[in-house]
Amino acid sequence: MAVHQHQHQHPHRGSGFRLSAVLRGRRTASASGTAVATDTGPAYALASLRVLTGFVFLWAFLDKTFGLGYATPSGKGWVDGGSPTKGFLSSVAAGPMQSTFHAWAGAAWADWLFMLGLLGIGVALTAGVALRLAAVAGTVMMAFMWLAEWPPARHLADGSPSMSTNPFADYHLVYAAALIVLALTAAGDTLGAGRIWARLPFVRDHRWLR
C-alpha cells in the first residue's frame, strides 16, 4: 500500500517539477524580452537627440551660408559676401572678452573656423561618426559663445539689464553636455553609421577619431 501510494504520488511530484520549470523558463524569457525592449529605448532616445542636435548645427550653417531668412536675412548670407561672425561678435556687450570678440568680429579666419565648425559638427552628429571630435569641437565652440553672451552679467556695458535668465547654466552649456554624452555613449551606433565608421582601419588605429 505504501509502495502503491509512493508510486501514485511520484508522477504528481515530477509533473509539478516540470511544470514549475517551464513556468520559470517562460518568466525568464519574458523578463529577457522586456530587458531587450527596454535596452533599445535609451539607444533610440540618444540617437534621436543626436540627429536633432546635428540638425541644429547644420541648419545654422545653411542659414548663415545662404541667408534663408531666419537668423540671417535674405541677401546677407556668407555666399552674398556677409560675415557669419560680425553681427554676433560685434554686439558682445558684457564679459571679460568683450574687446577681444570685437576685434575678431568679421575676420576671415573667424568666419571660416566658425562655419567649418558648424558644418563639421552637424555632419558628424547627423551621420553618427567622429562623435568624439564633434564633442571636443562643439564644446570649445559653445564655451566661446557662452563667454560672448556672459550669462553672469546682470547689466551690459551701457548699464542696461542683460536679461540673463541664469548666471551659469544657459543653452550653450546644455548643448556642450549633450555632445559629450552622445560621444561617451556611442550614440552613432543606432540610426547612424557609427559601427561602420568604427571598423575603418584608420579609426581602429586612432580611437580618438571614434
Side-chain angles (χ1 to χ4, degrees), residues 83-99:
S83 169
T85 63
K86 186 174 183 179
F88 176 65
L89 294 182
S90 62
S91 64
V92 172
M97 294 186 65
Q98 180 178 347
S99 58

Side-chain angles (χ1 to χ4, degrees), residues 36-136:
V36 170
T38 304
D39 288 343
T40 60
Y44 280 99
L46 287 169
S48 301
L49 175 63
R50 171 179 57 78
V51 173
L52 288 173
T53 307
F55 183 70
V56 170
F57 284 88
L58 274 182
W59 178 259
F61 170 80
L62 294 172
D63 183 59
K64 293 178 184 301
T65 299
F66 301 107
L68 300 179
Y70 288 84
T72 306
S74 179
K76 300 291 185 179
W78 198 22
V79 296
D80 301 310
S83 169
T85 63
K86 186 174 183 179
F88 176 65
L89 294 182
S90 62
S91 64
V92 172
M97 294 186 65
Q98 180 178 347
S99 58
T100 301
F101 286 132
H102 288 173
W104 291 356
W109 64 267
D111 289 344
W112 276 95
L113 277 179
F114 181 56
M115 295 301 282
L116 289 177
L118 289 177
L119 177 62
I121 296 167
V123 170
L125 290 173
T126 304
V129 302
L131 295 185
R132 294 180 182 179
L133 282 176
V136 172

Side-chain angles (χ1 to χ4, degrees), residues 147-169:
L147 288 170
E149 293 204 1
W150 197 245
R154 294 183 179 180
H155 298 88
L156 302 179
D158 61 2
S160 61
S162 67
M163 305 302 292
S164 175
T165 58
N166 190 297
F168 176 70

